[in-house]
Amino acid sequence: MNHAPRVGRVRAEMERRGIDVLLLSVGPDLPYLTGYEAMPLERLTMLVLPARGDARLVVPQLEAPRVDRGEDLFEVVPWAETDDPVDRVVGLLGGGSANPVVAIGDHTWARFVLALQAELPHAQWRRAHEVTSPVRVVKDADEIAALQAAASAVDAVAAEMRERPFAGRREIDVHRELVDRMLEHGHQRANFAIVAAAANAASPHHEPGERVIAQGDVVLCDFGGTMDGYCSDITRMFHVGPPPAEVRDAYELLEAAQEAGVRAATIGAPCSAVDAAARDVIGAGGHGEHFVHRTGHGIGTEAHEDPYMVAGNEDAIVAGHAFSVEPGIYLTGRFGMRLEDIVVATTAGPRRLNAAPRDLAVVG
Ligand code: ZN
Ligand code: ZN
Ligand code: ZN
């Protein structure tokens, strides 16, 4: 990835919004913009990126050797163990406006935010999200290729699971298998692997545990990870033995809702339309009150990022938006189900990145 154009686009957003300087520490914005990821430690790493002028990366001296200077995006300012890194950052802001408008990364630790605010009492503080999200939300061809590769890897895992036995194994055993298979298929990291059987599947973010999967259980598998910097996220449903009519009917409704959500993801439509399309189908089928979450979230270098497919988000879908469409039906104390694909908005219409079979897989 070539990072300089990203920095240029963020600087244009800063100019447009009257932001003088951007401060980025831990979290996804810094690696997105520069390729360097701050260690999530007590020692401060902070990129100081003015709207105009040279950028500098304030970094603990012992981590300076990890910094790749290849792209020449910033000057490295190492600080020694007895220096005050907040003073170093404040020193780099000197010479500008007495009351600068400062945007700071959403994930920056409160202890550093509070220290900076104490040293810059006249600054106006804004979220970095204002200037990084509009850039990050539109994926270029390389990013879509990376998302596609990650999606294809979890598709392969989902397809393999259709041939695997579920009955007699604990949720946690299937969880570990999903993690192992994601790594085997090229992911560097598994971010989550929800395995929820029967009534546990009615809790959308169930933590897989000791429950032994049995004949007659629905099993929800929602898993994803990171591959070459970009995330995957897929949900597929399994049933141990033939499903009863009630489960089959609910699943048919769920598939129709997911299809409607995907079809609604056309350029120019508001993000809320994707949510409404899926929710209308589930509501018409009598399960409206059992669909208890938004329909989708954006995905990129973070597993959840803009744009969110939720009522109230009237932002228009543009080409290059990448997001999940994942309606669910949850019957407390009984069973639950969700179906999830990653979709990219294109000028030719919505394109699913996931291609694993979407039917309710009958397993042993
Ligand atoms: Zn998911
Ligand atoms: Zn998701
Ligand atoms: Zn219902």
Side-chain angles (χ1 to χ4, degrees), residues 296-331:
H297 55 81
I299 189 166
T301 60
E302 270 185 297
H304 289 186
E305 60 182 44
D306 286 329
Y308 291 97
M309 302 294 143
V310 62
N313 184 2
E314 301 309 310
D315 289 351
I317 294 171
V318 304
H321 275 179
F323 46 86
S324 70
V325 178
E326 50 176 308
I329 296 171
Y330 308 97
L331 295 157

Side-chain angles (χ1 to χ4, degrees), residues 209-224:
E210 299 295 320
R211 189 189 197 287
V212 176
I213 298 166
Q215 190 70 23
D217 283 351
V218 294
V219 185
L220 181 157
C221 294
D222 180 355
F223 51 100

Side-chain angles (χ1 to χ4, degrees), residues 147 150-154 182 187 189 191-192 223-227 230-234 299-300 303 342 354:
L147 287 166
S152 297
V154 290
M182 280 192 274
H187 279 56
R189 194 167 70 214
N191 294 330
F192 56 89
F223 51 100
T226 306
M227 189 163 131
Y230 284 79
C231 292
S232 62
D233 188 1
I234 187 172
I299 189 166
I342 302 305
N354 295 103

